[in-house]
Amino acid sequence: MEIVVIDGQGGGIGKNIIQVLKEKHPEYTIIGVGTNSMATTQLKKGGADIIATGENAVVYNASIVVGPIGVAFANSMYGEITPAMAKAIGESEARKYFIPVSKCSAQVVGVASKSISEYIDDLVVMIEKLEK
């Protein structure tokens, strides 16, 4: 299974997602896509098998796309998510899983107040269910 993990700014959320996925499922191929070089470096440190940076890398077609919710909104993350990136993510036929982040201007109604670690654990469970 190929999973694209997208993150920006410092790349910390994406790094944590990758670490947990690789710990529980080393057989997954993780493609880390950073919106900047710092984020990409963190994704690699997290254990991504393949890394890439920037707008064109987001267009990569995978079965699953994961990231903080801000990656789905043009001009979020202090402008790092370009309209083309948000469009590519939105139009992708991949299953998309977003981690809600309270610092994002978009809020999802009904989402429980959890830590990022708890959301990542929930994410892993959702992905594991796809294999059954």
Side-chain angles (χ1 to χ4, degrees), residues 65-86:
V65 174
V66 175
I69 194 167
V71 302
F73 297 97
N75 302 310
S76 65
M77 295 187 170
Y78 298 105
E80 287 185 25
I81 303 300
T82 66
M85 286 178 176

Side-chain angles (χ1 to χ4, degrees), residues 22-35:
K22 280 304 212 178
E23 179 182 306
K24 294 185 178 189
H25 295 281
E27 72 277 13
Y28 291 172
T29 299
I30 308 292
I31 302 159
V33 177
T35 61

Side-chain angles (χ1 to χ4, degrees), residues 57-68:
V58 172
V59 180
Y60 183 86
N61 190 18
S63 55
I64 298 174
V65 174
V66 175

Side-chain angles (χ1 to χ4, degrees), residues 4-74:
V4 173
V5 177
I6 303 171
D7 203 0
Q9 297 188 323
I13 293 173
K15 176 184 175 183
N16 290 335
I17 291 169
I18 292 168
Q19 286 174 327
V20 172
L21 284 170
K22 280 304 212 178
E23 179 182 306
K24 294 185 178 189
H25 295 281
E27 72 277 13
Y28 291 172
T29 299
I30 308 292
I31 302 159
V33 177
T35 61
N36 62 61
S37 60
M38 181 186 297
T40 304
T41 298
Q42 290 302 316
L43 299 176
K44 181 64 175 173
K45 287 180 181 177
D49 300 295
I50 302 164
I51 56 169
T53 304
E55 190 172 270
N56 286 336
V58 172
V59 180
Y60 183 86
N61 190 18
S63 55
I64 298 174
V65 174
V66 175
I69 194 167
V71 302
F73 297 97

Side-chain angles (χ1 to χ4, degrees), residues 1 63-64 95 97 125-132:
M1 180 180 314
S63 55
I64 298 174
R95 291 182 180 265
Y97 297 94
V125 170
M126 288 179 184
I127 291 172
E128 288 171 342
K129 287 181 180 178
L130 294 175
E131 295 183 310
K132 295 179 182 177

